[in-house]
Amino acid sequence: MTGAHWAVIGVLAIAAFSIRVVGLIAGGRIRASRHAWVLDELPGLIIICLVTSSLAGQPLQTWIAAGAALGVAVFTNHVIATMTVGVLVFAGLAMIGI
């Protein structure tokens, strides 16, 4: 490996370490502020962002299955039931051709 390769590896290592340090510092400051509630809600917000971005551009069949899964999640708060209903609705809609 050349010196350029080692330089890139070094820069990336420093960047990765810096991101973690900045996250720790920012997290500590947020916990001490009036915005601490954001950290409590962050895992759910990340999941919502991932799900909605994956639904963008999907056909109606996927949206209906996601809606059914959301309904089950709201009423049961059970992950396995939510996944099962979502998959079954999606498969059922695929069988009938929607």
Side-chain angles (χ1 to χ4, degrees), residues 22-57:
V22 169
L24 284 172
I25 293 168
R29 288 189 178 170
I30 291 172
R31 285 192 198 284
S33 74
R34 63 187 169 107
H35 302 291
W37 63 272
V38 173
L39 293 178
D40 294 334
E41 302 298 329
L42 193 59
L45 294 172
I46 291 171
I47 295 297
I48 295 296
C49 291
L50 291 172
V51 169
T52 54
S53 65
S54 68
L55 283 174

Side-chain angles (χ1 to χ4, degrees), residues 1-94:
M1 288 195 337
T2 65
H5 290 109
W6 286 109
V8 169
I9 291 170
V11 168
L12 290 175
I14 291 169
F17 181 74
S18 299
I19 288 170
R20 285 164 178 77
V21 170
V22 169
L24 284 172
I25 293 168
R29 288 189 178 170
I30 291 172
R31 285 192 198 284
S33 74
R34 63 187 169 107
H35 302 291
W37 63 272
V38 173
L39 293 178
D40 294 334
E41 302 298 329
L42 193 59
L45 294 172
I46 291 171
I47 295 297
I48 295 296
C49 291
L50 291 172
V51 169
T52 54
S53 65
S54 68
L55 283 174
Q58 294 297 316
L60 180 62
Q61 171 188 4
T62 306
W63 280 88
I64 293 171
L70 176 63
V72 171
V74 168
F75 289 113
T76 67
N77 196 26
H78 193 272
V79 175
I80 302 299
T82 301
M83 290 189 299
T84 302
V85 168
V87 169
L88 290 175
V89 169
F90 186 83
L93 291 172

